[in-house]
Amino acid sequence: MVNTRITGRRDRRLTPEDLAALRDSLHEQRLFREEQVRQLTAAPPRTGPDPRASAARTEVRTEPAASARMVLADVEAALRRLAEGRYGHCHLCRRPIDRAHLMIVPQARYCARCRQVREVAR
C-alpha cells in the first residue's frame, strides 16, 4: 500500500507525504497485529479429555503469538517515534534510515550499516 503511493523517488529524505503514508501503514499493521495476537491467544476449543493434545495446541500457538507481540511492540515504538519527531533515524548511529527500507519495513530501527553490524555480532 505505501509503496504504491510513493514510487520512483530516489531521495533518501522523508517528505511529509512519506511520513503520512508510513503512519497509515503503521496504524494498519498495529490493527492487524492486535487482531493476530487476540486470535492466537484465545482459548482453543476443547476437543476431548486428552491433556497432551491440549498442551500440543498451546505450544503450537505460543511461538507465533510471541512473534506477533514482538512485531506489535516494534510497530507501537515506531508510532511513538513518529509522534515525538524521532522517526527514521538509526537507534545506534543516529543517521537517517534509508527511505526505501522504511517503505518496506516502516518499524525499522537501524540503518543498513548498523543492521549488518548487529547481524555479524549474533
Side-chain angles (χ1 to χ4, degrees):
M1 175 181 203
V2 171
N3 294 337
T4 59
R5 291 186 199 177
I6 311 161
T7 57
R9 290 195 42 231
R10 296 199 182 263
D11 187 2
R12 294 180 139 196
R13 292 191 197 143
L14 295 170
T15 66
E17 293 81 15
D18 292 341
L19 291 172
L22 288 162
R23 184 178 296 110
D24 289 346
S25 177
L26 287 164
H27 281 293
E28 287 176 26
Q29 281 191 51
R30 179 170 56 187
L31 292 172
F32 172 78
R33 294 299 176 175
E34 287 171 343
E35 180 59 26
Q36 187 179 37
V37 168
R38 267 193 293 280
Q39 288 178 4
L40 289 169
T41 57
R46 297 190 81 89
T47 57
D50 186 358
R52 291 175 296 169
S54 178
R57 278 192 301 278
T58 300
E59 187 175 329
V60 166
R61 296 164 77 92
T62 301
E63 191 172 322
S67 179
R69 279 190 202 95
M70 269 185 12
V71 174
L72 178 58
D74 288 344
V75 167
E76 288 174 340
L79 285 167
R80 278 192 301 279
R81 290 191 304 275
L82 256 170
E84 296 167 356
R86 299 181 300 114
Y87 181 79
H89 290 85
C90 179
H91 275 14
L92 295 178
C93 70
R94 304 292 182 225
R95 290 188 180 123
I97 298 172
D98 188 54
R99 179 185 169 281
H101 183 64
L102 288 170
M103 293 300 141
I104 297 166
V105 185
Q107 68 271 24
R109 288 189 249 174
Y110 305 105
C111 68
R113 193 181 95 212
C114 291
R115 270 195 324 272
Q116 288 175 340
V117 168
R118 287 177 54 83
E119 288 297 318
V120 169
R122 285 185 192 184

